[in-house]
PDB file of all heavy atoms in Angstrom:
ATOM      1  N   LEU B 423       5.333   2.560   0.529  1.00 82.00           N
ATOM      2  CA  LEU B 423       5.661   3.680   1.371  1.00 82.00           C
ATOM      3  C   LEU B 423       4.825   4.948   1.090  1.00 82.00           C
ATOM      4  O   LEU B 423       4.354   5.541   2.009  1.00 82.00           O
ATOM      5  CB  LEU B 423       7.179   4.011   1.187  1.00 82.00           C
ATOM      6  CG  LEU B 423       7.871   4.529   2.395  1.00 82.00           C
ATOM      7  CD1 LEU B 423       7.630   3.656   3.589  1.00 82.00           C
ATOM      8  CD2 LEU B 423       9.354   4.611   2.092  1.00 82.00           C
ATOM      9  N   PRO B 424       4.595   5.351  -0.181  1.00 85.00           N
ATOM     10  CA  PRO B 424       3.798   6.556  -0.395  1.00 85.00           C
ATOM     11  C   PRO B 424       2.386   6.446   0.202  1.00 85.00           C
ATOM     12  O   PRO B 424       1.923   7.380   0.873  1.00 85.00           O
ATOM     13  CB  PRO B 424       3.751   6.702  -1.878  1.00 85.00           C
ATOM     14  CG  PRO B 424       4.896   5.944  -2.409  1.00 85.00           C
ATOM     15  CD  PRO B 424       5.139   4.873  -1.434  1.00 85.00           C
ATOM     16  N   LEU B 425       1.808   5.290  -0.010  1.00 87.00           N
ATOM     17  CA  LEU B 425       0.433   5.096   0.538  1.00 87.00           C
ATOM     18  C   LEU B 425       0.476   5.132   2.050  1.00 87.00           C
ATOM     19  O   LEU B 425      -0.443   5.751   2.702  1.00 87.00           O
ATOM     20  CB  LEU B 425      -0.121   3.764   0.027  1.00 87.00           C
ATOM     21  CG  LEU B 425      -1.611   3.558   0.383  1.00 87.00           C
ATOM     22  CD1 LEU B 425      -2.470   4.444  -0.423  1.00 87.00           C
ATOM     23  CD2 LEU B 425      -2.029   2.104   0.153  1.00 87.00           C
ATOM     24  N   MET B 426       1.482   4.519   2.650  1.00 87.00           N
ATOM     25  CA  MET B 426       1.591   4.538   4.104  1.00 87.00           C
ATOM     26  C   MET B 426       1.789   5.993   4.603  1.00 87.00           C
ATOM     27  O   MET B 426       1.110   6.347   5.587  1.00 87.00           O
ATOM     28  CB  MET B 426       2.741   3.654   4.584  1.00 87.00           C
ATOM     29  CG  MET B 426       2.760   3.450   6.031  1.00 87.00           C
ATOM     30  SD  MET B 426       4.414   3.149   6.700  1.00 87.00           S
ATOM     31  CE  MET B 426       5.076   4.797   6.671  1.00 87.00           C
ATOM     32  N   THR B 427       2.596   6.743   3.937  1.00 88.00           N
ATOM     33  CA  THR B 427       2.807   8.113   4.355  1.00 88.00           C
ATOM     34  C   THR B 427       1.505   8.889   4.322  1.00 88.00           C
ATOM     35  O   THR B 427       1.167   9.614   5.265  1.00 88.00           O
ATOM     36  CB  THR B 427       3.799   8.790   3.391  1.00 88.00           C
ATOM     37  OG1 THR B 427       4.971   8.029   3.316  1.00 88.00           O
ATOM     38  CG2 THR B 427       4.166  10.182   3.903  1.00 88.00           C
ATOM     39  N   LEU B 428       0.776   8.700   3.253  1.00 90.00           N
ATOM     40  CA  LEU B 428      -0.468   9.466   3.139  1.00 90.00           C
ATOM     41  C   LEU B 428      -1.519   9.039   4.197  1.00 90.00           C
ATOM     42  O   LEU B 428      -2.122   9.843   4.868  1.00 90.00           O
ATOM     43  CB  LEU B 428      -1.077   9.281   1.721  1.00 90.00           C
ATOM     44  CG  LEU B 428      -2.448   9.890   1.483  1.00 90.00           C
ATOM     45  CD1 LEU B 428      -2.328  11.422   1.769  1.00 90.00           C
ATOM     46  CD2 LEU B 428      -2.904   9.702   0.065  1.00 90.00           C
ATOM     47  N   ALA B 429      -1.633   7.727   4.354  1.00 90.00           N
ATOM     48  CA  ALA B 429      -2.623   7.240   5.312  1.00 90.00           C
ATOM     49  C   ALA B 429      -2.263   7.678   6.735  1.00 90.00           C
ATOM     50  O   ALA B 429      -3.119   8.059   7.499  1.00 90.00           O
ATOM     51  CB  ALA B 429      -2.683   5.700   5.232  1.00 90.00           C
ATOM     52  N   ASN B 430      -0.999   7.627   7.085  1.00 89.00           N
ATOM     53  CA  ASN B 430      -0.578   8.042   8.392  1.00 89.00           C
ATOM     54  C   ASN B 430      -0.679   9.574   8.578  1.00 89.00           C
ATOM     55  O   ASN B 430      -1.051   9.983   9.675  1.00 89.00           O
ATOM     56  CB  ASN B 430       0.885   7.565   8.691  1.00 89.00           C
ATOM     57  CG  ASN B 430       0.899   6.147   9.222  1.00 89.00           C
ATOM     58  OD1 ASN B 430      -0.115   5.492   9.297  1.00 89.00           O
ATOM     59  ND2 ASN B 430       2.063   5.676   9.548  1.00 89.00           N
ATOM     60  N   SER B 431      -0.454  10.307   7.535  1.00 89.00           N
ATOM     61  CA  SER B 431      -0.597  11.745   7.653  1.00 89.00           C
ATOM     62  C   SER B 431      -2.074  12.089   7.883  1.00 89.00           C
ATOM     63  O   SER B 431      -2.407  12.966   8.710  1.00 89.00           O
ATOM     64  CB  SER B 431      -0.192  12.440   6.365  1.00 89.00           C
ATOM     65  OG  SER B 431       1.181  12.151   6.119  1.00 89.00           O
ATOM     66  N   ILE B 432      -2.926  11.339   7.243  1.00 89.00           N
ATOM     67  CA  ILE B 432      -4.366  11.598   7.448  1.00 89.00           C
ATOM     68  C   ILE B 432      -4.765  11.264   8.867  1.00 89.00           C
ATOM     69  O   ILE B 432      -5.505  12.009   9.511  1.00 89.00           O
ATOM     70  CB  ILE B 432      -5.197  10.716   6.436  1.00 89.00           C
ATOM     71  CG1 ILE B 432      -5.039  11.286   5.032  1.00 89.00           C
ATOM     72  CG2 ILE B 432      -6.680  10.708   6.773  1.00 89.00           C
ATOM     73  CD1 ILE B 432      -5.642  10.428   3.966  1.00 89.00           C
ATOM     74  N   THR B 433      -4.247  10.187   9.388  1.00 88.00           N
ATOM     75  CA  THR B 433      -4.569   9.768  10.765  1.00 88.00           C
ATOM     76  C   THR B 433      -3.977  10.773  11.779  1.00 88.00           C
ATOM     77  O   THR B 433      -4.588  11.087  12.766  1.00 88.00           O
ATOM     78  CB  THR B 433      -4.051   8.396  11.032  1.00 88.00           C
ATOM     79  OG1 THR B 433      -4.507   7.514  10.024  1.00 88.00           O
ATOM     80  CG2 THR B 433      -4.547   7.845  12.351  1.00 88.00           C
ATOM     81  N   LEU B 434      -2.787  11.232  11.509  1.00 86.00           N
ATOM     82  CA  LEU B 434      -2.143  12.134  12.444  1.00 86.00           C
ATOM     83  C   LEU B 434      -2.937  13.477  12.534  1.00 86.00           C
ATOM     84  O   LEU B 434      -2.907  14.124  13.604  1.00 86.00           O
ATOM     85  CB  LEU B 434      -0.728  12.516  11.970  1.00 86.00           C
ATOM     86  CG  LEU B 434       0.433  11.715  12.513  1.00 86.00           C
ATOM     87  CD1 LEU B 434       1.722  12.136  11.906  1.00 86.00           C
ATOM     88  CD2 LEU B 434       0.520  11.866  14.020  1.00 86.00           C
ATOM     89  N   THR B 435      -3.612  13.871  11.521  1.00 85.00           N
ATOM     90  CA  THR B 435      -4.410  15.109  11.577  1.00 85.00           C
ATOM     91  C   THR B 435      -5.720  14.792  12.289  1.00 85.00           C
ATOM     92  O   THR B 435      -6.459  13.980  11.797  1.00 85.00           O
ATOM     93  CB  THR B 435      -4.719  15.541  10.107  1.00 85.00           C
ATOM     94  OG1 THR B 435      -3.618  15.292   9.299  1.00 85.00           O
ATOM     95  CG2 THR B 435      -5.053  16.978  10.074  1.00 85.00           C
TER      96      THR B 435
END
Side-chain angles (χ1 to χ4, degrees):
Chain B
L423 212 52
L425 187 70
M426 190 207 76
T427 307
L428 177 56
N430 275 2
S431 302
I432 289 174
T433 308
L434 264 178
T435 322

